Amino acid sequence: MQLLQHFKELTLRPKNAQELKGLIIRLALRGNLTEKWRKENLQILHASELLEDIQDEKAQLIEKRKLRVKKISEIKVIQDMKYAIPKSWAWYNFSDVAFFQEGPGIRKWQYRETGVKLLNVRNIVGDNLILDNTTLHVEREEFEQKYEHFKVEEGDLLFASSGGSWGKSAWFTDPGYDVMLNTSMVRMCFYGHDWYPQYLKTFISSGFFVDQMSEQLVGIQPNFGSTHLSRIYIPIPPLEEQKEIVKVVETLFKEVEQLEQLTVARIGLKEDYVTSALQQLTANNTNQDWTNLQDHFKSFFNETTNIKKLRETILQLAVQGKLTADWRSSHPELVEGTHHASNLLKRIQEEKAQLIADKKIKKVKALPPITEDEIPYELPEGWVWCRLRESGFTQTGSTPPKRNPENYGDFIPFIGPADISNHSMEYPVSGLSELGISVGRLIPKDSVMMVCIGGSIGKCNINDIDVSCNQQINTISPVLIPSVYIKVICQSPYFQKCVIDKASGSATPIINKGKWETLPIPLPPLEEQKAIVEKVNALMALCDVLEQEVQQSQQHSEMMMQSVLKEVFEGGKEVVVDKE
């Protein structure tokens, strides 16, 4: 069987563990996991032999008014869910082989601080029944007169039957005093003594049981009772095979959990190493750490979270000048003299002055010089600190009044925060008219656009056509500087932290244009900016490849899981459909 063949490989990803457990139970309830056992135990009697002692016990329960017998209509969908089972097994209605009783629904005015404990959904924590959580009681006298037949007995399986908690279950072990059910609870047990109770627990934790219940339940907070349970079908193996099934399931579950723990530990150690290594990269001035990490890219960056950290580190190294340290050593003439970034800054100011004279941009108030306290780290030779607006001209958008429909049309796309991500820019079909542009403002192509409010604050990208935007977006149109370099700065962890630190409001953070445009940015010589962009693009392409490999690995794992599922639900040997 492929499940057992590829068991370790299927548990390489933590999220597979729960799915594997569900699959193990489905296989168990089809007899696939005990096929070899059946061949070695041909003398085992048919499952129908187990039902002979049920009638007497059911009669006693009816006599004690613990059980009501009523005709339950079948649901065709559930009937059609019956699948092929081994020849020695039998299909039965759940109510034919198991006893279940709903809580009586004690009214609030009947609650007492002492007396017989009332159990409800809150008492089931994980797979355990916690009696200390019980704060509700019913008077002893009232219990003995009305509710004694709702007393929970040792060996009962208690089951949550209401709302979002339905399906939780736990065994009841005798605490030495009386306990009874309250509303939203069902107790279950097999009739007779020739049954293995753990098989009941295995069945109700199966996807097959859940599927049958889901066909009947409606609403956001569904409730069910004995009528719903009576419509359920359960595959019954012989007693000894029930025990073997539970044993195999428990063994496989333990292995899944052990492998899951090893996987989580492995991923945790890897993430710790990656975090430490990337922190050293941004803190140190040596190239050796970077070289060592590059040698192990595929080993350490095979998880999505680690690749995301790598992307962030690449951007941080870029704005610190560490990606281009070798480039500067090879091109000293391009970082000194007239190529110094301070001269570039003067040229930008001259170009902006000309744009103001030509009335292409508006004159704005001069920015204050950057203080020592604002400088977060030391820059390489040839670089300078400047404020964001000094690298170009900034704008924010606005939304034209909707009372005037002439503002809207298909003349130019109108960008909102949802249209911007760090990987792409979406251009809505509908936008603003020429009239609307005068109100909504034109953002020229090759501007860097950043969301400045809410959960998406900090997301940014470059528009490759002229657009307009709403007031939740800040933009900068660089002058003499490649837009892609400004994008590298804006997406870097350094700048993203500045945005969050300067944003006002905790529930809905917002950074206005006035604060945004004054944030300090590192400005290298123009030729080095181009080298930085080239280096970043190459490394981001490597990250893309690593992410593709992660996706392919996940797809391989998914395909393997689907292959196992196909084998389970379409294949199988020594099975016949038992339609009673």
Side-chain angles (χ1 to χ4, degrees), residues 315-322 324 327-328 334-350 352 370 375-392 476-490 492 494-495 519-533:
L315 293 170
Q316 186 61 29
L317 293 173
V319 299
Q320 289 180 267
K322 293 184 178 182
T324 45
W327 182 92
R328 285 193 300 276
L334 296 179
V335 297
E336 299 173 352
T338 58
H339 294 284
H340 197 282
S342 59
N343 291 314
L344 172 62
L345 204 54
K346 291 177 183 177
R347 289 169 53 205
I348 292 171
Q349 292 169 350
E350 293 170 357
K352 288 175 70 176
I370 295 174
I375 297 175
Y377 53 83
E378 187 178 348
L379 294 177
E381 184 65 33
W383 292 40
V384 295
W385 284 102
C386 68
R387 298 197 185 277
L388 179 63
R389 197 182 79 198
E390 293 182 85
S391 66
I476 179 164
S477 304
V479 174
L480 303 181
I481 294 176
S483 298
V484 284
Y485 175 70
I486 299 298
K487 177 185 171 184
V488 167
I489 291 176
C490 288
S492 70
Y494 155 70
F495 193 83
L519 295 176
I521 65 168
L523 188 70
L526 186 58
E527 292 302 319
E528 189 169 357
Q529 291 178 31
K530 297 175 183 177
I532 287 171
V533 169

Side-chain angles (χ1 to χ4, degrees), residues 80-96:
D80 291 343
M81 284 182 173
K82 292 166 71 173
Y83 50 77
I85 56 175
K87 295 177 182 178
S88 56
W89 294 29
W91 279 109
Y92 288 98
N93 276 104
F94 202 8
S95 56
D96 289 335

Side-chain angles (χ1 to χ4, degrees), residues 107-168:
R107 305 278 184 176
K108 286 186 177 180
W109 56 267
Q110 294 175 284
Y111 293 159
R112 299 291 182 268
E113 293 182 1
T114 59
V116 177
K117 284 180 180 285
L118 289 169
L119 299 183
N120 57 33
V121 173
R122 289 190 297 273
N123 294 104
I124 301 178
V125 181
D127 287 328
N128 299 312
L129 190 70
I130 310 298
L131 297 182
D132 292 343
N133 289 358
T134 304
T135 57
L136 304 178
H137 303 76
V138 67
E139 285 184 348
R140 165 66 59 180
E141 184 178 351
E142 190 171 12
F143 167 75
E144 292 175 349
Q145 290 177 356
K146 298 182 180 180
Y147 302 119
E148 191 167 11
H149 59 286
F150 288 101
K151 176 183 173 183
V152 182
E153 298 177 357
E154 185 174 9
D156 285 345
L157 183 60
L158 303 185
F159 192 78
S161 62
S162 177
S165 297
W166 86 264
K168 294 200 305 182

Side-chain angles (χ1 to χ4, degrees), residues 396-454:
T396 188
S398 65
T399 303
K402 293 189 177 181
R403 64 177 177 271
N404 185 357
E406 293 182 0
N407 288 325
Y408 296 89
D410 57 2
F411 179 70
I412 195 164
F414 185 64
I415 303 295
D419 301 314
I420 298 175
S421 78
N422 289 330
H423 305 292
S424 63
M425 178 84 76
E426 299 292 331
Y427 299 102
V429 176
S430 61
L432 302 184
S433 65
E434 292 185 64
L435 179 64
I437 289 301
S438 63
V439 181
R441 302 170 189 170
L442 179 72
I443 309 300
K445 65 178 291 188
D446 294 328
S447 297
V448 178
M449 306 179 68
M450 177 177 283
V451 179
C452 61
I453 187 172

Side-chain angles (χ1 to χ4, degrees), residues 30 130 189 205 209 269 273 304 316 391 411 417 435 444 475 528 530 541:
R30 290 172 174 267
I130 310 298
C189 63
S205 64
F209 173 80
L269 287 171
Y273 172 82
T304 304
Q316 186 61 29
S391 66
F411 179 70
L435 179 64
T475 74
E528 189 169 357
K530 297 175 183 177

Side-chain angles (χ1 to χ4, degrees), residues 494-532:
Y494 155 70
F495 193 83
Q496 292 284 311
K497 184 177 185 300
C498 288
V499 168
I500 297 300
D501 289 347
K502 291 293 183 181
S504 57
S506 54
T508 305
I510 181 171
I511 182 167
N512 60 37
K513 184 176 75 71
K515 290 181 180 179
W516 186 70
E517 66 185 8
T518 62
L519 295 176
I521 65 168
L523 188 70
L526 186 58
E527 292 302 319
E528 189 169 357
Q529 291 178 31
K530 297 175 183 177
I532 287 171

